[in-house]
Amino acid sequence: MKKLSFIILLLLAALYSNAQIIVLDPGHGYGATTSDNPDGRTATEIETALSVGQKTKDLINANCNWTVYLTRTSNLNGWISVNQRAQMSNNWNADRLLSIHCNAGGGTGTETFYCTADDTDTAPDISFAQKIQADMVSYGSWSNRRCVEDNSFLAYHLGVLRYSSATGCLNEIGFVDYTADATKLNSDSWRNNFANAYFNAFKSNLNLTCSATTPGTFTLTVTPECIGTATRNRLNWTTSANATSYDIYRNGALYASGITGTQYLNTSVTGGTTFTYYVKARNGSAGTNNANGTLTANTLVCNVTPGSFTLSATATCSGSQSAINLTWTTSANATSYDLYRNGNLYATDLTGNSFLNTYLINAGSTYTFYMVAKNANGTLNNSNGTISRTAVSCARPRAGIKGGDDILISPNPTSGLFTIQLPNNTEQITYQLFDVTGKLVQQKTLNTIGENTVNVDISNLSPGTYLINLQNGSEIISKKIIKN
């Protein structure tokens, strides 16, 4: 029984040692309106002090079993006297009192004051103030102005410290009238850093370790995209259980912190540049990185139009059908092409570099063509203008290569190499090879004087069925080739 009682006493002692009472005192405040400003302080000081105080309270509540009080919880109707603030701390039996302020009057950096008036044990106040100062310098990236006894520098004692019984200090985070300081004071991500400085200083000064609930696993996606002519990288992530905020790391360095949603739009990027990202879920001092690691984003170029290109057209045959084969050079930055025939839009969103036009192509008729390259930012016509071509007759071959009956192709099917056996006295022949979609995949004109065989190599083509057109002068025949 005695052993059990001893264990219970130990547990109670441990619980009591961790059950600290912290009072955070965001300085000043407004009256009923923002124009009602009893202390004549700037909005930057009044609002920064409360924001940092609330963030510090949230960190402690998320990670520790301490009791935390704020002397004011709003900016409007938030003003109370320094004596009232000290009395509130005493009424709450505070173990630590931190008064949060911002400086003014010329200068930069952070400074902390402690009060030893009427105090028989000054060491705790000095130690607490020195830790607050050191961590604010580190976490806030401030220059270290001073950490001193109030009366030695100000020539008076700070009432909120003198009349409080708690171990306490007053920290001036930075200067509201120095541009670089003010920018940080008004930044939500920097306010998170200031709160972390206070939180870690409390833990160290009290010699207590608070255990945070580690945020759960989550995954990240990064999507480069264009919004009009503006480029950006959009980050989305799944929710991390127990996380209170998220930090964004870009190219290995902290880029944005204190994000409370699950999306971040990185607009400060340059098109054509590569960035890496990962996200850390936060819960006080604990953190978890996204489970799928560092992701790479190739930022899009969104403000360029398609580049110059040219169009070519050849009257040909597709079997016995008259056709016009169109090919074009690549337009830089184009995402697709539109084909116009006889002045009207004929085929849209083409993505290759060729198109075999067979539909309603009649031998002897003339057709005009031009091409438009396009992307999200604009369009551009082919630089060599509208092209006119007259379709050739493919209905029946006449003399010359005799309708193809005496033309032999072997082996057919072929694994890649085949031979075309031509009639005697054939002087020149042009062959065109098309795939089943009508795309021209090979073309060559050969001088065959004194020879009646032509060797063709299609080893580089995919297996399938192909159509070969053989043209000798005005005579054209078509044969089917099978590639194994």
Side-chain angles (χ1 to χ4, degrees):
M1 186 67 180
K2 289 182 178 180
K3 184 176 182 180
L4 178 60
S5 299
F6 178 70
I7 292 173
I8 293 173
L9 286 173
L10 286 177
L11 291 172
L12 290 172
L15 180 63
Y16 176 77
S17 68
N18 283 278
Q20 301 296 312
I21 299 174
I22 307 298
V23 173
L24 302 171
D25 173 42
H28 309 293
Y30 299 116
T33 66
T34 55
S35 60
D36 181 6
N37 190 343
D39 295 329
R41 301 304 173 119
T42 65
T44 295
E45 175 169 11
I46 292 171
E47 294 167 17
T48 298
L50 179 61
S51 175
V52 175
Q54 289 173 325
K55 288 176 181 290
T56 305
K57 182 177 186 291
D58 290 342
L59 283 171
I60 294 172
N61 285 340
N63 295 282
C64 307
N65 63 345
W66 309 344
T67 301
V68 188
Y69 296 102
L70 289 168
T71 57
R72 68 179 176 94
T73 58
S74 64
N75 288 315
L76 291 177
N77 295 311
W79 185 88
I80 50 178
S81 70
V82 291
N83 289 347
Q84 287 175 298
R85 295 168 189 268
Q87 188 59 50
M88 292 168 74
S89 175
N90 293 336
N91 291 343
W92 287 322
N93 295 314
D95 295 293
R96 294 292 184 275
L97 166 66
L98 172 61
S99 191
I100 305 170
H101 290 256
C102 298
N103 227 331
T108 181
T110 189
E111 60 188 17
T112 304
F113 299 101
Y114 56 88
C115 179
T116 59
D118 309 320
D119 195 343
T120 58
D121 185 10
T122 61
D125 294 284
I126 297 172
S127 176
F128 180 46
Q130 289 174 339
K131 186 57 181 171
I132 288 290
Q133 176 71 8
D135 281 7
M136 182 55 71
V137 168
S138 175
Y139 281 79
S141 297
W142 295 113
S143 60
N144 186 353
R145 287 177 60 84
R146 62 182 61 85
C147 178
V148 296
E149 194 266 346
D150 52 3
N151 189 59
S152 68
F153 181 76
L154 302 172
Y156 61 88
H157 291 293
L158 296 166
V160 69
L161 300 180
R162 180 168 189 174
Y163 301 116
S164 168
S165 300
T167 297
C169 64
L170 182 149
N171 176 239
E172 303 272 10
I173 300 175
F175 279 75
V176 299
D177 52 1
Y178 185 76
T179 301
D181 284 24
T183 298
K184 292 166 68 173
L185 292 171
N186 286 300
S187 163
D188 188 68
S189 60
W190 276 109
R191 289 173 177 177
N192 287 327
N193 290 351
F194 306 153
N196 272 296
Y198 289 155
F199 176 55
N200 282 280
F202 277 120
K203 289 193 298 180
S204 177
N205 181 252
L206 291 166
N207 196 28
L208 296 174
T209 300
C210 298
S211 58
T213 303
T214 303
T217 59
F218 68 106
T219 56
L220 170 68
T221 59
V222 182
T223 307
E225 58 189 9
C226 293
I227 304 299
T229 59
T231 185
R232 71 184 188 186
N233 293 328
R234 174 168 52 85
L235 285 69
N236 294 91
W237 54 92
T238 57
T239 299
S240 168
N242 305 311
T244 56
S245 65
Y246 301 87
D247 293 343
I248 310 296
Y249 287 79
R250 188 176 87 170
N251 293 343
L254 179 64
Y255 185 75
S257 62
I259 310 301
T260 55
T262 55
Q263 182 184 88
Y264 183 80
L265 301 177
N266 189 195
T267 57
S268 296
V269 293
T270 302
T273 306
T274 299
F275 295 92
T276 62
Y277 297 92
Y278 68 90
V279 174
K280 183 185 290 290
R282 305 295 306 216
N283 184 349
S285 58
T288 300
N289 289 6
N290 57 283
N292 53 331
T294 299
L295 303 185
T296 299
N298 298 311
T299 307
L300 300 178
V301 178
C302 302
N303 57 352
V304 294
T305 54
S308 177
F309 71 107
T310 58
L311 175 67
S312 299
T314 303
T316 185
C317 294
S318 177
S320 61
Q321 172 63 51
S322 298
I324 306 293
N325 188 56
L326 298 121
T327 59
W328 55 93
T329 59
T330 298
S331 167
N333 306 308
T335 55
S336 63
Y337 303 86
D338 289 346
L339 175 65
Y340 286 76
R341 187 175 90 172
N342 294 341
N344 298 310
L345 180 62
Y346 183 76
T348 62
D349 297 326
L350 302 175
T351 55
N353 291 92
S354 65
F355 182 82
L356 183 65
N357 186 198
T358 59
Y359 183 67
L360 296 180
I361 297 291
N362 300 312
S365 297
T366 299
Y367 302 88
T368 62
F369 299 91
Y370 69 90
M371 184 75 70
V372 176
K374 60 184 184 179
N375 66 17
N377 299 307
T379 61
L380 183 70
N381 290 16
N382 58 285
S383 61
N384 54 332
T386 299
I387 295 176
S388 177
R389 292 292 182 269
T390 300
V392 297
S393 175
C394 304
R396 59 180 184 86
R398 297 188 296 274
I401 51 177
K402 302 180 181 178
D405 293 338
D406 53 352
I407 295 178
L408 301 177
I409 296 178
S410 64
N412 188 13
T414 176
S415 61
L417 296 172
F418 63 90
T419 300
I420 303 173
Q421 184 77 35
L422 300 170
N424 293 329
N425 303 319
T426 302
E427 296 183 353
Q428 188 182 69
I429 191 167
T430 297
Y431 75 83
Q432 295 177 311
L433 193 67
F434 299 89
D435 64 16
V436 292
T437 69
K439 180 181 179 180
L440 178 66
V441 294
Q442 197 175 111
Q443 176 175 286
K444 189 174 290 186
T445 298
L446 301 169
N447 190 332
T448 56
I449 296 176
E451 298 182 9
N452 63 347
T453 59
V454 173
N455 295 318
V456 179
D457 184 1
I458 59 171
S459 301
N460 63 320
L461 300 181
S462 301
T465 301
Y466 295 86
L467 181 72
I468 186 167
N469 285 351
L470 302 168
Q471 183 171 1
N472 174 227
S474 62
E475 310 304 327
I476 300 175
I477 68 160
S478 299
K479 295 281 187 177
K480 183 170 71 173
I481 301 292
I482 297 175
K483 165 75 184 301
N484 290 329

